[in-house]
Amino acid sequence: MAAPRFVDQLNVQVGNELSAHNQYLACAVYYDALTMPQMAAFFYAQALEERAHASMMIQYLLDTDNAVTIPAIEAPVNEFADVVAPVELALAQEKRVTDQINGLLRIAREEFDFASEQFMQWFIKEQVEEVATMSDLLAVVKRNLDDVEDIEEYVAREQGGEGTDPTAPRQAGA
């Protein structure tokens, strides 16, 4: 059985992940409307990844016989000043999620909830990758602000093709 304090915060994190999903969806739509298909595809994929993270957390709660509470989430930012703004927002979001994930791990440790601590290890690794990816993308977008074709080429060349991670936790409904 997972520690009650961890369960409460993991339910909150499900909402955070779903909120990230919606924000990435809004970013994808923004780039789609600008006819930037590579950036749009990248953010559509990021949106699905965030939803998958929420589903992994839901499955963990179910597997540990805990109640799942899907919280309400705020509307995402839908309007952006330029092509840099969504990536800046995404990087800030990934840094915030990293803090949230670290907080969950901290709670699991404080509660001596070893199974939950082990569950969170995959998310720690994932956040290192997410922050690095968004940091690199932000550098490229800022450098090529006036040449969206270079941005598109970078995303086509550098992003995607990772496949599924066999060490990832199981998703609810999958």
Side-chain angles (χ1 to χ4, degrees), residues 2-65:
R5 204 173 92 173
F6 179 84
V7 169
D8 291 344
Q9 199 56 44
L10 191 59
N11 271 301
V12 169
Q13 191 61 33
V14 167
N16 294 339
E17 299 293 332
L18 293 173
S19 180
H21 167 270
N22 283 358
Q23 187 57 67
Y24 281 145
L25 189 58
C27 292
V29 169
Y30 171 78
Y31 288 117
D32 227 351
L34 292 178
T35 317
M36 294 179 71
Q38 297 299 324
M39 287 291 280
F42 172 77
F43 277 100
Y44 282 126
Q46 288 297 119
L48 292 175
E49 192 172 290
E50 299 303 330
R51 190 178 74 191
H53 294 168
S55 293
M56 291 170 186
M57 293 172 183
I58 290 167
Q59 188 61 55
Y60 181 76
L61 289 167
L62 292 170
D63 287 346
T64 57
D65 292 325

Side-chain angles (χ1 to χ4, degrees), residues 155-166:
V155 175
R157 182 180 67 246
E158 298 295 326
Q159 304 302 320
E162 293 179 11
T164 58
D165 180 349

Side-chain angles (χ1 to χ4, degrees), residues 3 11 26 36 38 40 79 82 89-90 94 97 100-101 110 152 166:
N11 271 301
M36 294 179 71
Q38 297 299 324
E79 296 179 18
D82 57 27
L89 184 107
E94 289 301 341
V97 169
Q100 294 162 348
I101 295 296
E110 289 170 0
E152 288 285 279

